[in-house]
């Protein structure tokens, strides 16, 4: 009887563990200038590990994306008008910007890494095709509260130094880095532009998971920039055609009554909200290129890419 109870308890713990997400929180420092060493900017990044899979994402992006997921769900449930959604979001647009306008998923045992971005309202991704080859040294030091061992590798035109701990038996780390016999607790590049420091570990019952679109465009690492540019070009071309058609419709609808054209433009699908969002059933307040809605204003702060080639 005791053995049965013990077996049931162990099974319960396994099921519970697989249903929870372990979040590793990193203080991340970035040099925003690719030429000069200026004051480092800081934000937090998360490595969410659930079972055999993980998600790397910045805190600012996760907060922004989860907020919009909630609003989008409310719109569908309550069938609210786009104008109401716009005013509801207006006061929430100025969340902190992020240097990581993408997210990365990993299949940890198979060492498969997927990079997801969004352009022109469409998700696009590729599978990383460069296996990370670590050189593990015999140097052992205490890093961020853990006994850690030093390892080095090269990726994207930078040489990276990682400190991993066997005290946490997760073969993973920030960004695309994984494959060491333990969790990476500290990571920095040779140019002093990027630094990740593990600061805490927390358990989350129902963590937000970035949705993977069923129509996401698959690309390759080599063709990624070209495919993104093609999607943006196609979007701008369609938007230009739609704008031309809306002008013609508004002129036609307004010709028979005083001021009718402007009123028609605001309600017939040619107004600001539909025009910026693309199709009428898209979520409003998309970015200028139809990207995932962004709270930040101005140009992206990421002038210093994490991968130089």
């Amino acid at each position: 009887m005791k053995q049965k109870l013990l077996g049931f308890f162990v099974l319960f713990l396994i099921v519970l563990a697989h249903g929870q997400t372990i979040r590793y929180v990193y203080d991340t420092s970035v040099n925003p200038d690719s030429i000069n060493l200026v004051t480092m900017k800081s934000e937090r990044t998360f490595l969410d590990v659930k079972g055999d899979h993980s998600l790397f994402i910045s805190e600012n992006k996760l907060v922004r994306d989860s907020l919009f997921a909630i609003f989008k769900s409310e719109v569908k449930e309550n069938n609210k008008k786009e104008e109401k959604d716009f005013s509801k979001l207006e006061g929430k647009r100025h969340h902190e910007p992020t240097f990581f306008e993408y997210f990365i998923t990993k299949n940890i045992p198979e060492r498969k890494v997927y990079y997801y971005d969004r352009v022109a309202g469409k998700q696009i991704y590729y599978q990383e095709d460069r296996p990370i080859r670590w050189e593990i040294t015999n140097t052992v030091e205490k890093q961020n509260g853990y006994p850690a061992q030093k390892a080095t590798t090269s990726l994207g035109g930078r040489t990276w130094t990682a400190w991993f701990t066997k005290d946490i038996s997760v073969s993973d780390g920030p960004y695309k880095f994984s494959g060491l016999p333990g969790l990476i607790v500290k990571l920095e590049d040779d140019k002093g532009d990027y630094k990740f420091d593990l600061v805490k570990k927390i358990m989350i019952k129902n963590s937000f998971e970035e949705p993977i679109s069923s129509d996401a465009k698959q690309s390759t690492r080599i063709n990624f920039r070209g495919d993104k540019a093609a999607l943006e070009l196609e979007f701008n071309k369609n938007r230009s055609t739609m704008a031309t058609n809306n002008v013609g419709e508004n002129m036609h609808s307004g010709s028979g009554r005083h001021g009718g054209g402007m009123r028609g433009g605001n309600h017939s699908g040619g107004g600001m909200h539909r025009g910026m969002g693309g199709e009428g059933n898209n979520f409003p307040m998309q970015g200028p290129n139809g990207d995932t809605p962004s709270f930040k204003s101005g140009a992206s702060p990421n002038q210093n890419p994490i991968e130089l080639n």
Side-chain angles (χ1 to χ4, degrees):
M1 183 66 179
K2 287 183 178 180
Q3 287 182 339
K4 287 184 178 179
L5 286 174
L6 180 61
F8 176 79
F9 182 69
V10 171
L11 181 62
F12 173 76
L13 288 178
I14 292 173
V15 172
L16 184 65
H18 278 278
Q20 288 186 325
T21 296
I22 304 176
R23 172 168 294 167
Y24 298 97
V25 181
Y26 292 85
D27 271 349
T28 304
S29 301
V30 180
N31 170 28
D33 193 319
S34 60
I35 299 175
N36 304 302
L37 182 61
V38 297
T39 303
M40 301 288 279
K41 304 296 182 183
S42 298
E43 66 174 302
R44 297 205 304 179
T45 53
F46 297 155
L47 180 68
D48 285 1
V49 178
K50 186 174 183 180
D52 291 338
H53 293 78
S54 70
L55 165 72
F56 171 79
I57 191 170
S58 76
E59 179 183 36
N60 294 334
K61 178 172 171 56
L62 184 141
V63 168
R64 189 184 68 203
D65 290 358
S66 58
L67 275 175
F68 271 94
I70 292 170
F71 287 133
K72 189 172 183 179
S73 176
E74 289 179 353
V75 169
K76 288 182 178 179
E77 289 178 5
N78 302 322
N79 196 25
K80 294 179 180 179
K81 293 182 180 179
E82 292 180 10
E83 287 79 7
K84 290 184 179 179
D85 299 331
F86 185 82
S87 61
K88 184 177 181 181
L89 293 171
E90 186 66 30
K92 304 178 183 293
R93 292 171 60 193
H94 302 293
H95 279 227
E96 290 297 320
T98 177
F99 286 93
F100 306 90
E101 283 288 355
Y102 49 81
F103 65 91
I104 294 168
T105 65
K106 302 190 192 94
N107 182 317
I108 301 172
E110 297 180 13
R111 296 191 181 182
K112 291 182 178 178
V113 180
Y114 299 91
Y115 180 102
Y116 286 86
D117 204 341
R118 183 174 289 273
V119 63
K122 189 176 181 67
Q123 202 170 62
I124 180 171
Y125 73 100
Y126 67 86
Q127 181 178 346
E128 177 58 58
D129 58 353
R130 299 165 297 179
I132 294 178
R133 295 180 173 85
W134 292 101
E135 183 179 331
I136 300 177
T137 72
N138 294 321
T139 305
V140 177
E141 295 180 8
K142 196 165 188 177
Q143 296 287 348
N144 296 325
Y146 293 92
Q149 193 169 348
K150 182 180 178 182
T152 60
T153 191
S154 295
L155 180 72
R158 300 177 189 270
T159 298
W160 296 87
T161 298
W163 294 87
F164 67 94
T165 181
K166 294 180 180 178
D167 285 2
I168 303 177
S169 57
V170 178
S171 180
D172 207 350
Y175 193 60
K176 297 178 179 178
F177 296 97
S178 63
L180 288 166
L183 182 73
I184 296 174
V185 297
K186 183 174 182 177
L187 177 72
E188 55 190 335
D189 76 299
D190 58 329
K191 303 180 188 304
D193 290 339
Y194 284 86
K195 184 180 177 184
F196 301 83
D197 283 294
L198 181 69
V199 291
K200 63 180 175 179
K201 162 188 169 183
I202 55 179
M203 301 290 292
I204 302 175
K205 273 191 175 182
N206 298 302
S207 63
F208 174 75
E209 297 183 11
E210 283 285 342
I212 307 301
S213 303
S214 58
D215 64 342
K217 178 176 177 57
Q218 184 173 4
S219 181
T220 64
R221 180 181 60 86
I222 300 298
N223 297 330
F224 194 68
R225 289 184 180 179
D227 286 344
K228 282 184 67 176
L231 284 175
E232 187 171 3
L233 182 64
E234 181 183 3
F235 173 80
N236 289 331
K237 189 182 297 183
N238 291 338
R239 184 170 61 174
S240 177
T241 302
M242 187 166 59
T244 302
N245 292 338
N246 286 336
V247 169
E249 289 175 5
N250 292 340
M251 290 180 64
H252 177 73
S253 63
S255 61
R257 61 186 185 276
H258 178 67
M262 291 186 65
R263 288 195 297 272
N266 288 334
H267 297 282
S268 64
M272 178 190 299
H273 306 299
R274 288 182 185 267
M276 291 182 69
E279 296 297 331
N281 59 354
N282 280 356
F283 196 62
M285 281 188 63
Q286 289 182 315
N289 295 323
D291 299 337
T292 299
S294 173
F295 291 104
K296 69 178 184 288
S297 58
S300 169
N302 192 3
Q303 305 299 325
N304 188 4
I306 195 167
E307 292 188 39
L308 303 173
N309 57 36

